[in-house]
Amino acid sequence: DIDPAAANRLLVLLGIAHVLLLGLTVGALAAGGLGGAGRVGLYLGAGLFFGQVSNATAHELIHRADRRLFQLGKWIYISLLFGHHTSAHTKVHHRYAATPDDPSTARLGESFYAFARRAWLGGFRKGYEMERADIMRRGTGGATPYVTYAFGAAGLLALTWFAFGWAGLSAYFGLAAYAQLQLLLSDYVQHYGLTRGLDADGRPEPIGADQSWNAGGWFTAHLMLNGPHHSDHHAHPARPYPALALPDRASAPRLPASLPVMSVLALYPGGWRRVMHRALDARAGEVGT
């Protein structure tokens, strides 16, 4: 077990590693000289780190009450040109997950490609609306964090162009797009086809363990800071990742394979639907019994 202070130190270390690796990777890809195979290998390897490890790190950090840790997580997302996810995830997804009001919940039968566009644009818009509503409710005035998201991304792009030219910008956009693809795939998989019921007043019932797909696998759980233990995260958003538990199969849905494997399968809509609709049918039978 890892104590909370040690867990936070690891998150900071991974955040620093992200910043350094992103700069070094963009520079190496822009400089050339690696050969075709070397460039592809570096792009895929570093991009996997940004999409799996950096995303999991930023996700943990934006749920921290310590503002310094939160800011680090926010800037990791900004560096991936996805700063708005900070608002969309904490203020929209965690409130509306497994309901039609959440852009990051995939609908039954919806392909990943249809979902990705809807989730990106919907998350951007609804996150902004929630931030504006919070400002109006507090009566404090001022700008939303979207100003930081936009100017932060613009500043990093300008710095990249100044340091590495157009080749650096191309590499940067490619890496950010690859990381965002993986983040959207994770969102797509983890709530696909699951919905919350309504209470007597017609409002969504509190989210429970049955509205998130979980995944086993020691290696991938550690790689993604227990991100596949998704039901427990939704039940306890502020719970540090070492304490997140994997629910048993009777109390929460379990993916047929690890989260990365299912994310790859999601790129093939026909195969995805065959596998996941069988899993949904099996889950319905288990719950029914």
Side-chain angles (χ1 to χ4, degrees), residues 56-274:
T57 301
H59 172 256
E60 279 291 314
L61 288 166
I62 64 173
H63 282 290
R64 292 291 182 268
D66 186 324
R67 296 302 295 177
R68 296 168 299 177
L69 296 177
F70 174 86
Q71 290 293 325
L72 176 58
K74 180 182 78 173
W75 276 96
I76 292 174
Y77 279 130
I78 290 173
S79 74
L80 296 174
L81 310 182
F82 210 48
H84 75 269
H85 188 71
T86 307
S87 298
H89 180 80
T90 56
K91 298 194 173 187
V92 180
H93 179 63
H94 270 272
R95 181 175 180 179
Y96 297 113
T99 77
D101 292 322
D102 177 32
S104 294
T105 293
R107 302 161 181 163
L108 183 66
E110 184 178 30
S111 74
F112 167 70
Y113 303 100
F115 165 83
R117 180 179 183 277
R118 182 174 64 82
W120 205 107
L121 296 175
F124 187 95
R125 177 179 58 82
K126 297 202 76 165
Y128 177 79
E129 290 172 354
M130 292 296 287
E131 293 287 5
R132 287 298 305 164
D134 283 349
I135 290 174
M136 296 296 291
R137 184 165 49 252
R138 292 193 302 266
T140 56
T144 73
Y146 276 64
V147 174
T148 304
Y149 304 155
F151 280 95
L156 290 171
L157 290 170
L159 181 63
T160 300
W161 180 83
F162 181 79
F164 305 115
W166 294 110
L169 272 182
S170 177
Y172 191 1
F173 274 119
L175 288 166
Y178 187 20
Q180 290 182 29
L181 171 72
Q182 294 170 75
L183 188 153
L184 290 166
L185 278 166
S186 180
D187 282 349
Y188 176 78
V189 170
Q190 288 182 305
H191 294 279
Y192 178 82
L194 301 175
T195 58
R196 285 192 255 173
L198 301 179
D199 62 20
D201 297 324
R203 293 176 299 186
E205 64 187 9
I207 191 165
D210 211 37
Q211 281 92 45
S212 301
W213 288 102
N214 301 275
W218 178 91
F219 177 74
T220 51
H222 282 70
L223 178 71
M224 304 175 73
L225 303 178
N226 281 343
H229 301 177
H230 206 58
S231 291
D232 199 23
H233 170 65
H234 270 279
H236 309 281
R239 178 172 287 176
Y241 66 90
L244 291 175
L246 177 64
D248 60 57
R249 294 178 183 273
S251 61
R254 186 79 63 88
L255 289 167
S258 69
L259 184 56
V261 169
M262 297 306 295
S263 295
V264 173
L265 180 62
L267 295 171
Y268 304 92
W272 167 262
R273 292 189 185 102
R274 283 194 297 273

